[in-house]
Amino acid sequence: RERMLRERVGGMIALDELIMLPNQAACTRVCALLQKTLDAEPLSSVTMRYGEETWLIRLAQCLPGSSASQGDVLGAHRARIECSADKVALVCTAAFSPEATRAAEWADPPVRLISGRQLASLFGRLHPATDEDIARHLARQKKPFSWARIRSLALSAAKLRRYLLCSFLLLIFYLITHSLAALFSSLLSFLLAILCAQENRRRFML
């Protein structure tokens, strides 16, 4: 049980560090982890040879509670074509949206997805947490909920359609009942949908 705890905390710490690193440095670290795990041949900081195939490694840095989008998947697919790799693996520090999963399956060849939970497990096995790491992690968990995480959760790509649907239904309710509260809620939901779209467009461009 103690070993499992150390691996779990070690993986969570590794994910936190990856989120804060520049994308190139974080991707290099993930590629090195996969090379060691799979005993693959390093070709560059973000590519490796596994078996007879050349793999490109891409990383989507997402905060907890958010998810990688289909735009991240398409970006990984285009990057594979640009660097002439045989396959591409898209690693995420969180989860993948349903749209991203479908886009990965439709790509030719399919994009290999590695979620944050899988990544944390790999990091934890190779770098289990020490007593000092566990103490620092528990101290950070006691800190108040950050505005950055609240914004990430509220404006995640998965919530865009929900905001639009909620706005539409509230508008219909307003037209039927003439309730000002329903109209205000509809406008607020539509505003959140606009902010959500802008936020995820900005992440995709970065």
Side-chain angles (χ1 to χ4, degrees):
R1 178 179 295 180
E2 180 181 352
R3 176 70 182 183
M4 292 175 61
L5 174 62
R6 292 185 183 277
E7 290 182 358
R8 181 180 179 185
V9 175
M12 295 173 67
I13 292 173
L15 291 189
D16 290 342
E17 293 175 349
L18 287 177
I19 293 173
M20 301 306 297
L21 287 174
N23 186 264
Q24 183 67 26
C27 194
T28 298
R29 185 173 176 184
V30 170
C31 187
L33 169 72
L34 295 176
Q35 289 168 1
K36 187 171 184 179
T37 302
L38 300 172
D39 194 24
E41 176 188 354
L43 297 178
S44 72
S45 61
V46 293
T47 57
M48 63 184 187
R49 182 177 299 281
Y50 181 58
E52 299 298 323
E53 297 174 324
T54 301
W55 283 79
L56 171 67
I57 307 302
R58 296 273 291 188
L59 175 65
Q61 293 166 291
C62 300
L63 292 172
S66 62
S67 57
S69 67
Q70 59 183 345
D72 295 309
V73 174
L74 294 176
H77 178 70
R78 297 188 191 105
R80 180 198 66 79
I81 296 173
E82 185 176 354
C83 73
S84 301
D86 298 317
K87 299 285 185 64
V88 60
L90 176 60
V91 185
C92 181
T93 54
F96 292 96
S97 68
E99 295 81 5
T101 302
R102 287 194 293 269
E105 295 172 351
W106 291 338
D108 184 23
V111 177
R112 175 72 166 89
L113 301 182
I114 300 177
S115 67
R117 179 175 296 183
Q118 294 170 302
L119 184 62
S121 178
L122 294 176
F123 268 114
R125 292 172 190 172
L126 292 179
H127 306 288
T130 63
D131 292 338
E132 293 77 10
D133 293 332
I134 295 176
R136 285 196 297 269
H137 179 73
L138 292 176
R140 284 199 300 270
Q141 293 295 312
K142 294 179 182 179
K143 292 182 179 179
F145 207 62
S146 69
W147 282 109
R149 185 173 181 189
I150 294 175
R151 177 178 176 178
S152 174
L153 291 174
L155 301 181
S156 64
K159 290 187 171 58
L160 175 58
R161 292 183 178 179
R162 299 176 192 174
Y163 289 142
L164 290 174
L165 178 60
C166 184
S167 176
F168 175 74
L169 294 176
L170 286 169
L171 180 60
I172 296 297
F173 184 74
Y174 163 73
L175 294 175
I176 295 174
T177 64
H178 302 289
S179 169
L180 291 179
L183 177 61
F184 176 77
S185 299
S186 176
L187 292 175
L188 179 60
S189 296
F190 187 68
L191 176 60
L192 286 172
I194 294 175
L195 294 175
C196 186
Q198 291 178 342
E199 178 69 12
N200 287 281
R201 186 181 299 114
R202 183 183 66 82
R203 291 176 185 170
F204 175 71
M205 292 177 64
L206 291 176

